[in-house]
Amino acid sequence: MPRPTAAQLAYGSATVIVSTIAMLLLSQTSTGLGVAVISAAALALGLLVALTVPVPRRRGRHAARSGTSAAPARAGEPASHEGASPAGRVPDPRTAEAEHPVHH
């Protein structure tokens, strides 16, 4: 199971605190059993909110470690560029002769 992100922890914690206070004020309970039921309901609600927060997709060097390629390899494509996006490819280095040919 992946570790929770900061956003998941923040949303879950805020949900538990706010929902506990709201339910205690609305129910006006003073018994130990009532407080325990409300606390358990608030924890369940906070867990539900934390698990439904969208997790950002990994990009960059972390995505390369996952072992999954974004797109299947195409026929005729070099093996060194397999799974890489066109924007992520580095062109071959240019030489000064190729940029400024001298005509005699």
Side-chain angles (χ1 to χ4, degrees):
M1 182 174 186
R3 292 174 24 180
T5 63
Q8 288 174 316
L9 290 173
Y11 281 124
S13 299
T15 301
V16 170
I17 293 168
V18 171
S19 62
T20 301
I21 293 171
M23 286 189 280
L24 285 173
L25 290 175
L26 290 173
S27 69
Q28 296 179 353
T29 185
S30 60
T31 64
L33 181 61
V35 172
V37 169
I38 288 174
S39 299
L43 283 173
L45 185 62
L47 182 62
L48 178 69
V49 167
L51 291 177
T52 57
V53 171
V55 179
R57 296 179 64 184
R58 288 185 165 193
R59 287 184 266 161
R61 66 181 178 169
H62 296 292
R65 293 183 190 171
S66 67
T68 59
S69 61
R74 295 185 195 117
E77 190 172 302
S80 64
H81 297 299
E82 184 174 320
S85 66
R89 294 185 185 147
V90 177
D92 292 331
R94 294 184 186 181
T95 61
E97 298 165 354
E99 290 182 15
H100 304 288
V102 177
H103 299 291
H104 292 277

